[in-house]
Amino acid sequence: MNLINDAWIPVRRENGEKVKIAPWQITEDLGFDNGIMELAAVRPDFNGALIQFLIGLLQTTCAPTGNSDWRQWLNSPPNPDVLKNKFGSISHAFNLNGDGPRFMQDLDLKNMTLEEFDVQALFIDEPGDQSLKFNKDHFVKRKSNVNLCERCAATALLTLQLNAPAGGAGHRTGLRGGGPLTSIVLDKTLWRTAWINILSVPDFVVLANSE
């Protein structure tokens, strides 16, 4: 499974139908009667991670050179084939399974003694090791008999990597440190919600240099 090429992101179309799409299909049928309106994952934290994933893809591969280019794509979304070509340049980094490096895989793990956990440990609200060991999961209950399809497992992994808080849960802190706060500007379609949060190249450079 490849998270660029394959359909795995749950969305709701204008007519209420829920389907799975590949990231590059975000502009599919916009301007007609059944465009993609919003994400439709089974958990709110999954939706939060998925919109950040889409924004990150667009910012990395499609950043506009200026405000006029930004406005053009906001009002006249690119064809899905254009996005497929743009995203395809980095698709090698998004293999969920296979023989080579995998999505969000820590390549240093091969030199460590590994311990297996149940798949529900990917949920950021799952009780930590010590809570389970000493039966202290009173307010946040442990889950049992959890099964995840590949799509949900990928989303859970993404959500954990983006949002994992520091300490107590038996996993390392997420990519942006403990308890990151994310603000997303919302609009009427999924495309507009994603694109309206994109910075032009000059604005991105100024912001990056100010850190």
Side-chain angles (χ1 to χ4, degrees):
M1 180 179 177
N2 183 278
L3 303 185
I4 298 297
N5 302 326
D6 297 329
W8 66 286
I9 298 177
V11 297
R12 181 184 64 82
R13 291 187 177 274
E14 191 171 359
N15 67 356
E17 179 188 12
K18 293 182 179 180
V19 296
K20 303 290 195 306
I21 64 167
W24 52 269
Q25 293 177 288
I26 188 175
T27 59
E28 190 174 78
D29 294 329
L30 282 180
F32 296 95
D33 295 332
N34 204 21
I36 296 168
M37 306 306 292
E38 62 183 0
L39 293 163
V42 296
R43 291 169 52 112
D45 57 339
F46 283 10
N47 283 331
L50 288 170
I51 190 59
Q52 292 176 70
F53 177 79
L54 292 171
I55 291 169
L57 280 180
L58 289 168
Q59 187 69 64
T60 302
T61 63
C62 305
T65 57
N67 291 335
S68 61
D69 292 335
W70 181 87
R71 285 192 296 269
Q72 181 178 355
W73 268 27
L74 180 67
N75 298 316
S76 300
N79 186 283
D81 287 338
V82 173
L83 293 180
K84 185 177 184 179
N85 183 60
K86 295 277 191 180
F87 295 168
S89 63
I90 59 172
S91 63
H92 61 277
F94 292 87
N95 292 318
L96 188 64
N97 44 35
D99 296 329
R102 261 62 66 78
F103 175 65
M104 288 191 165
Q105 181 182 24
D106 185 343
L107 298 181
D108 291 333
L109 290 179
K110 62 184 178 181
N111 300 320
M112 300 174 61
T113 300
L114 304 181
E115 181 180 355
E116 290 188 3
F117 292 88
D118 292 333
V119 69
Q120 61 260 32
L122 291 174
F123 297 143
I124 60 173
D125 58 351
E126 184 72 8
D129 290 347
Q130 293 299 308
S131 295
L132 295 176
K133 181 179 179 180
F134 296 106
N135 200 31
K136 293 182 177 181
D137 52 328
H138 179 72
F139 294 105
V140 181
K141 301 296 184 182
R142 72 185 72 186
K143 302 170 184 65
S144 60
N145 299 321
V146 172
N147 294 296
L148 295 179
C149 66
E150 277 190 313
R151 299 179 184 92
C152 290
T155 310
L157 175 62
L158 173 67
T159 304
L160 178 65
Q161 292 281 22
L162 289 179
N163 300 301
H171 48 64
R172 295 179 179 178
T173 305
L175 294 176
R176 296 179 299 158
L181 178 65
T182 302
S183 297
I184 303 293
V185 180
L186 303 178
D187 211 318
K188 58 185 178 181
T189 67
L190 183 54
W191 164 254
R192 288 181 66 92
T193 291
W195 189 250
I196 209 168
N197 288 280
I198 298 301
L199 296 173
S200 66
V201 172
D203 288 342
F204 187 87
V205 171
V206 169
L207 183 63
N209 290 335
S210 67
E211 295 296 327

